[in-house]
């Protein structure tokens, strides 16, 4: 399994200047790769592996490429072909794509050392040192140790738009060192959960827990003020650049707050349950809808699902995406579909009389569909029997602030137990 750990870096002014220079050389290498791909005989290139053979000629023709580490230079060429492959994948999925553009200095702000040319030192405390060949030592805030069973495959150094430096370690862990997932025969509605990614709440679970949206109103108001101030500055002036960085700082704060929120929620889910079923959403189509677009963007649901899937491997949890179509309309008790406008927040089945919260009903349906996934058998008890009685609409609500402060939507006991009282 491949994953990464990210750390804040604090290079000295001299090392930071060297990093800036090396990044710019790699930017030129990226652009030159693009040039050769479009203008050189395809028999000599066409893949990263073939293009690596041309690097010796590059160094003979352009002395600047001798100043950076050879493996890092190969990784930059590979980066171009990876971007090319991503475009091809998007095109296969039916998306309209263009071609890879020339990178300006503001668009290329990172470099990667692969396989060699780096060493992590002095890891006994909260500070560590990363040594990079031809650059030097970079102090990092070592806030969490790398797993003992993980192997460092590559190291990426990135300069954010705020001017901060970060180091990401690309790690690989053998599957034998990961926790074994529970046997599917042991799964039932007591150790599994369905999640509805909602509108009124951030998530709603099949056992009756509703987690509120993260309140970012103050952050967005500050962002609007800073952007208005930026619009009044002369473009390209010193004051403009200073204000642009203030805007970048606010955006970074919002982005980090959302990511922290998602990390705490997903960690709680994979630790608490043996199986998590989540709806497979067409996020792009949802964002193109006019209503509530910014909140949907803040939700970053695709990022949330990606975090769930990668943490499931680390904690030994099953995560399955299921078809979300009709989960709101379909009754979790009898299966009869009932059309409900977006403003109707309660589910009341005209066929069997089952009543509950709209999103709770959707979450139960997601749980049912999860167990119908190939390889999973339907448990003896149903989500309706174990999650919410059919004569109640009671739901335990958890605020977004509580998630941020405690690290999970639970304090002293599982909130689901309150639902089943």
């Amino acid at each position: 399994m491949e994953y990464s750990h990210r750390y804040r870096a604090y290079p000295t002014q001299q090392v930071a200047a060297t990093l800036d220079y090396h990044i710019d050389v790699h930017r030129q290498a990226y652009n030159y790769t693009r040039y050769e791909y479009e203008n050189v005989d395809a028999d000599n290139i066409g893949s990263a592996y073939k293009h690596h053979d041309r690097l010796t000629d590059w160094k003979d023709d352009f002395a600047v490429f001798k100043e950076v580490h050879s493996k890092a230079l190969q990784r930059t060429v590979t980066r171009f072909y990876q971007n090319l492959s991503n475009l091809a994948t998007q095109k296969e999925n039916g998306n309209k794509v263009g071609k890879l553009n020339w990178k300006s200095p503001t668009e290329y702000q990172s470099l990667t050392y692969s396989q060699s040319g780096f060493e992590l030192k002095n890891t006994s405390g909260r500070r560590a040192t990363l040594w990079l060949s031809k650059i030097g030592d970079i102090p990092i805030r070592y806030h969490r140790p790398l797993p003992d069973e993980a192997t460092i495959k590559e190291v990426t150094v990135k300069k954010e738009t705020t001017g901060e430096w970060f180091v990401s370690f690309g790690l690989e862990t053998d599957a034998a060192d990961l926790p074994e997932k529970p046997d599917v025969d042991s799964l039932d509605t007591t150790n599994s959960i369905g999640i509805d990614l909602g509108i009124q709440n951030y998530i709603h679970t099949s056992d009756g827990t509703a987690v509120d949206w993260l309140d970012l109103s103050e952050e967005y108001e500050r962002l609007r003020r800073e952007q208005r101030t930026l619009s009044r500055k002369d473009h390209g002036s010193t004051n403009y650049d200073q204000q642009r960085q203030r805007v970048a700082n606010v955006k970074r704060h919002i982005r980090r707050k959302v990511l922290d929120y998602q990390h705490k929620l997903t960690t709680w889910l994979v630790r608490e349950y043996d199986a998590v079923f989540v709806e497979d959403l067409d996020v792009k189509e949802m964002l193109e809808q006019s209503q509530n677009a910014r909140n949907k963007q803040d939700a970053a649901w695709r990022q949330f699902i990606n975090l769930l899937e990668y943490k499931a491997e680390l904690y030994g949890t099953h995560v399955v995406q299921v078809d979300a179509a009709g989960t709101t309309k379909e009754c979790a008790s009898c299966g009869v579909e009932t059309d409900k406008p977006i403003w109707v927040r309660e589910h009341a089945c005209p066929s069997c009389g089952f009543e509950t919260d709209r999103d709770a009903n959707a979450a139960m349906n997601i749980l049912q569909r999860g167990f119908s996934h190939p390889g999973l058998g339907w448990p003896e008890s149903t989500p309706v029997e174990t999650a919410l009685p059919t004569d109640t609409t009671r739901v335990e609500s958890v605020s977004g602030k509580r998630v941020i402060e405690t690290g999970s939507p639970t304090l002293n006991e599982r909130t689901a137990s309150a639902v089943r009282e």
Side-chain angles (χ1 to χ4, degrees), residues 201-251:
N201 303 107
Y202 189 78
I203 64 170
H204 206 302
T205 67
S206 57
D207 63 2
T209 303
V211 181
D212 290 346
W213 285 81
L214 182 61
D215 185 6
L216 297 172
S217 56
E218 292 183 4
E219 285 79 1
Y220 272 109
E221 178 57 35
R222 183 187 171 195
L223 178 60
R224 284 190 288 269
R225 291 198 306 267
E226 299 292 0
Q227 288 178 326
R228 284 196 297 267
T229 302
L230 179 64
S231 67
R232 294 192 289 268
K233 304 294 183 182
D234 292 333
H235 192 280
S237 65
T238 301
N239 287 339
Y240 180 90
D241 290 338
Q242 291 175 347
Q243 185 61 30
R244 180 195 59 78
Q245 184 148 336
R246 292 191 187 98
V247 172
N249 286 338
V250 178
K251 289 182 177 179

Side-chain angles (χ1 to χ4, degrees), residues 195-196 277-282 302 305 320-330 337 362-374:
I195 299 176
D196 176 65
F277 304 109
V278 62
E279 50 190 319
D280 184 6
L281 297 177
D282 186 349
R302 178 52 55 192
I305 294 172
V320 179
Q321 294 186 50
V322 302
D323 183 12
T327 52
T328 300
K329 298 179 181 180
E330 186 178 309
E337 290 192 3
M364 294 177 204
N365 282 323
I366 290 168
L367 180 61
Q368 292 186 44
R369 293 186 185 187
F371 275 108
S372 65
H373 192 273

Side-chain angles (χ1 to χ4, degrees), residues 397-414:
S397 181
V398 181
S399 72
K401 182 178 180 182
R402 183 164 149 190
V403 175
I404 290 292
E405 290 178 348
T406 66
S408 81
T410 55
L411 289 176
N412 298 324
E413 60 181 357
R414 291 181 57 175

